[in-house]
Amino acid sequence: KAGVTQTPRYLIKTRGQQVTLSCSPISGHRSVSWYQQTPGQGLQFLFEYFSETQRNKGNFPGRFSGRQFSNSRSEMNVSTLELGDSALYLCASSKTGGSHEKLFFGSGTQLSVL
Amino acid sequence: AQTVTQSQPEMSVQEAETVTLSCTYDTSESDYYLFWYKQPPSRQMILVIRQEAYKQQNATENRFSVNFQKAAKSFSLKISDSQLGDAAMYFCAYRRDLIQGAQKLVFGQGTRLTINP
């Protein structure tokens, strides 16, 4: 069974640009959540999607957005990039998003903003 | 708001010995889940062990066990017979269900574990 796949693995952008990151969950998983990991702030929750609907959102500005498609694949978009957006972005999937379920993480997308 | 605190930024242990990583959390809820995740250099977050708050029995997974003290809001991870492959960042995390689905995972700042051969 294939794991959670995130593309691309690495990305370099300049300030003001926008970026789209992709996450393909494990087959059969309908919940996808996104986390930002930085040395200073640690791991912070961005948002969670289930069946194409955003159920939860973290405390991030509106420049951060996401969506989920009918096949459960998810994308997140960051517009007007800032230096502080440089981070590892992790995606995780589970069947329904319940707390009792095991979360499966991808290897992340390392975003560098210059 | 829930918070998770890991007071040990770094720990080291000799191969084959036992090490304990500390974690405390703050919540007003009675039903929740606690986790330990491992993040090796590959960056993929891997679940090590999970504890349900309503279960008094401490969770165990092979060489990994927890000491869950609900009243003290403490959740430590013990690694027995440490192996070189255990070297990684370890994160303690908290999660609970909401009506509309599970709440986010709240992570601690992490403990970097080094295994000395």
Side-chain angles (χ1 to χ4, degrees):
Chain A
K1 203 175 193 182
V4 178
T5 303
Q6 290 189 248
T7 56
R9 287 295 301 272
Y10 300 92
L11 207 48
I12 299 175
K13 292 287 187 179
T14 56
R15 278 183 301 174
Q17 287 186 311
Q18 75 165 21
V19 67
T20 300
L21 312 182
S22 178
C23 172
S24 293
I26 290 173
S27 178
H29 286 192
R30 294 161 62 193
S31 169
V32 174
S33 50
W34 290 87
Y35 291 82
Q36 181 197 64
Q37 185 175 17
T38 60
Q41 298 298 315
L43 283 144
Q44 293 185 288
F45 172 77
L46 281 156
F47 24 65
E48 187 243 359
Y49 287 88
F50 178 77
S51 292
E52 302 179 66
T53 300
Q54 185 182 90
R55 291 197 297 193
N56 288 303
K57 189 177 192 306
N59 189 25
F60 278 81
R63 301 184 296 106
F64 291 80
S65 63
R67 59 178 175 168
Q68 186 180 34
F69 302 94
S70 59
N71 62 358
S72 295
R73 190 177 71 87
S74 178
E75 289 181 346
M76 67 163 281
N77 184 278
V78 188
S79 63
T80 318
L81 284 166
E82 300 177 1
L83 295 178
D85 297 333
S86 295
L88 178 67
Y89 290 88
L90 290 166
C91 161
S93 77
S94 67
K95 287 185 180 178
T96 66
S99 287
H100 63 286
E101 294 179 346
K102 182 176 179 179
L103 270 185
F104 293 83
F105 282 83
S107 294
T109 294
Q110 183 69 54
L111 172 65
S112 297
V113 181
L114 305 178
Chain B
Q2 293 82 19
T3 58
V4 177
T5 302
Q6 293 177 248
S7 58
Q8 306 153 315
E10 296 183 355
M11 292 280 285
S12 63
V13 65
Q14 290 296 125
E15 193 176 2
E17 294 191 345
T18 296
V19 63
T20 299
L21 307 184
S22 301
C23 172
T24 58
Y25 59 95
D26 187 27
T27 183
S28 58
E29 303 297 326
S30 59
D31 193 14
Y32 49 87
Y33 293 80
L34 296 166
F35 307 85
W36 278 97
Y37 280 89
K38 166 185 176 181
Q39 188 178 40
S42 67
R43 309 178 314 186
Q44 186 177 27
M45 202 73 74
I46 301 165
L47 178 65
V48 174
I49 200 165
R50 177 179 66 183
Q51 176 77 44
E52 298 162 69
Y54 64 86
K55 287 188 176 179
Q56 291 187 331
Q57 187 173 7
N58 289 324
T60 300
E61 289 286 343
N62 300 313
R63 298 182 295 107
F64 299 87
S65 61
V66 298
N67 183 3
F68 173 48
Q69 302 290 328
K70 192 172 184 178
K73 296 179 183 175
S74 169
F75 183 61
S76 61
L77 173 69
K78 185 171 82 171
I79 306 174
S80 304
D81 186 26
S82 298
Q83 300 176 0
L84 295 178
D86 295 333
M89 279 291 286
Y90 285 80
F91 292 94
C92 178
Y94 164 102
R95 196 178 191 207
R96 69 178 180 92
D97 280 323
L98 300 175
I99 293 174
Q100 72 271 30
Q103 194 191 39
K104 61 187 179 183
L105 270 172
V106 178
F107 286 93
Q109 287 297 101
T111 297
R112 182 173 300 281
L113 178 63
T114 301
I115 311 295
N116 300 312

